Amino acid sequence: MRVVRVLRGLPGLQLTGLGSGLFCAAVMLVLGFLDQLLFGASLTVYGLLFLPVSLLTALWMRGGDLLTAPVVVPIAFAVGLVTVAEGGEGMEGWLMGLVTTLATEAGWLYGGTLVAGSTVIVRRIRLLRRRADAVAARDRPPV
């Protein structure tokens, strides 16, 4: 329960779908550069950092745009991966390294997408329940 209290203490940002995509991609790009600088482009560190970014993206997304979180998060993973993926000579070698890294690190990608997706589902259910309660309260005859 301590985790819930900590998450509730975070700023209540309300990002749009585009804003959350830009936020997530920018954070993953910065984290990728930091990973390369501090840990020598460790893909495990990058994957571990991706999970909380996925959670924050899903938590800070506006209610109307919730369903875009599971789409935005994998794109941001790939954007940040550009900084840590190893490649060969030239553009083809770099692109092959990026595709290979995406394939070998798919577990982190799926994990972050699962975190974002499950967070979105919980938030969406709570939002719909609140709306249903408001409609029921409005339609209830006065006592």
Side-chain angles (χ1 to χ4, degrees):
M1 286 314 213
R2 184 168 191 244
V3 173
V4 173
R5 275 186 262 132
V6 169
L7 290 176
R8 284 187 182 164
L10 292 173
L13 297 176
Q14 294 292 309
L15 299 172
T16 63
L18 178 62
S20 64
L22 292 173
F23 161 77
C24 193
V27 169
M28 290 312 300
L29 195 62
V30 168
L31 289 176
F33 279 124
L34 286 174
D35 178 25
Q36 184 181 31
L37 181 68
L38 299 174
F39 301 105
S42 170
L43 295 173
T44 303
V45 171
Y46 180 79
L48 283 172
L49 293 171
F50 175 63
L51 298 177
V53 172
S54 300
L55 178 66
L56 288 177
T57 300
L59 286 175
W60 288 345
M61 190 168 283
R62 170 174 94 157
D65 295 329
L66 278 176
L67 299 178
T68 60
V71 176
V72 164
V73 168
I75 294 170
F77 183 84
V79 167
L81 202 61
V82 168
T83 60
V84 294
E86 293 184 19
E89 294 287 324
M91 186 65 156
E92 292 92 12
W94 175 79
L95 190 59
M96 185 60 71
L98 180 65
V99 170
T100 302
T101 306
L102 270 171
T104 58
E105 301 303 312
W108 293 113
L109 178 63
Y110 294 151
T113 306
L114 180 66
V115 166
S118 57
T119 304
V120 163
I121 289 171
V122 169
R123 285 192 61 203
R124 186 75 178 161
I125 289 171
R126 291 181 66 200
L127 180 68
L128 292 176
R129 189 173 293 156
R130 259 187 265 139
R131 285 183 187 169
D133 290 346
V135 168
R138 186 185 69 212
D139 293 342
R140 195 174 314 146
V143 178

